[in-house]
Amino acid sequence: MKNGQAWQWGITLTLSSVIFGAQAQGTPEDMKRGMELMQRQMAVMSPELAEKANALSPEIKKFLMHVALRHERRSDTLTLRQVMQEILAEHQMIGAAIATDNGPMAADAARRLALHRLPKGGMLPYLKIEKVTTESLSVLPSMEAAVEGNAQKIAEAAEKGDMVAAAHHYGEMTAGCVACHMHFRGQPGATPYTPRLK
């Protein structure tokens, strides 16, 4: 089997295992849509990354499909860094809204953050290849709960006018952002050409 064929076979296996693992929780329409989304994401992966993705546990694959289905705003051009800039803008807007007792503004920004846009190809192509493992990605569900879950709680509290609760959830959400960055990103701007920043 040639390398290209092996890669395509790996993609098929990955998609099959993701769909099979998620069937218990979704409708046939969701499964079809999820398969199309995963196919588009796999299409931009290198053979090396596709192989790493194929080796992920069924639970992580199911979670990645959950993310792809939940986030209906997607981009065919934006990178993860650009999406993170959008998320940062929403984060700052929430903080400003809480500080100025503007519940509607906080709620709107929090919901946009919770359902942020997905970058071209999903998240995996932007991670360091050594991070694309079941062990490393196993933190994602708790990160989602900390960031997107608390963003939803901010929206609910802000709509009720409880800005003290919104501020508490804002701190919890920010802690989730920082923990995720520490795990996946490292120091902003560090590259192999600037080892002093590593």
Side-chain angles (χ1 to χ4, degrees):
M1 188 179 290
K2 294 180 181 178
N3 286 344
Q5 291 173 321
W7 179 41
Q8 290 298 330
W9 179 246
I11 289 173
T12 302
L13 288 175
T14 298
L15 291 169
S16 297
S17 60
V18 170
I19 299 300
F20 180 77
Q23 277 179 346
Q25 296 182 346
T27 66
E29 294 79 20
D30 286 341
M31 295 307 101
K32 181 181 177 186
R33 192 164 56 95
M35 186 167 180
E36 290 169 357
L37 291 170
M38 298 306 289
Q39 283 175 333
R40 285 202 296 267
Q41 289 186 5
M42 294 293 285
V44 301
M45 292 184 186
S46 68
E48 181 186 17
L49 180 56
E51 185 178 343
K52 295 278 282 184
N54 192 44
L56 295 172
S57 71
E59 293 78 17
I60 293 298
K61 292 174 184 174
K62 187 163 70 170
F63 179 78
L64 293 173
M65 176 176 269
H66 154 78
V67 170
L69 287 170
R70 183 170 180 270
H71 291 261
E72 296 186 357
R73 292 189 300 148
R74 300 177 194 92
S75 176
D76 291 329
T77 59
L78 296 180
T79 66
L80 180 61
R81 180 172 292 187
Q82 290 170 306
V83 168
M84 285 295 171
Q85 289 168 336
E86 292 181 350
I87 293 171
L88 176 60
E90 302 296 1
H91 183 276
Q92 292 170 331
M93 186 175 291
I94 296 166
I98 290 172
T100 58
D101 198 22
N102 187 335
M105 179 176 158
D108 289 348
R111 286 204 172 90
R112 286 193 301 271
L113 189 153
L115 296 172
H116 60 80
R117 192 186 324 274
L118 293 181
K120 180 178 182 177
M123 182 182 66
L124 296 186
Y126 303 94
L127 299 181
K128 294 177 181 177
I129 194 74
E130 62 269 18
K131 290 289 187 180
V132 183
T133 65
T134 294
E135 181 181 3
S136 183
L137 297 178
S138 66
V139 303
L140 289 177
S142 62
M143 297 296 182
E144 181 192 47
V147 177
E148 297 175 11
N150 276 298
Q152 293 285 8
K153 291 176 184 177
I154 291 168
E156 292 163 11
E159 283 182 333
K160 294 175 186 173
D162 188 350
M163 302 311 274
V164 171
H168 170 76
H169 297 307
Y170 184 71
E172 294 292 317
M173 179 186 73
T174 302
C177 294
V178 171
C180 193
H181 293 164
M182 288 179 67
H183 184 71
F184 288 109
R185 183 195 66 192
Q187 184 172 356
T191 73
Y193 306 106
T194 54
R196 66 187 179 282
L197 296 178
K198 289 177 125 185

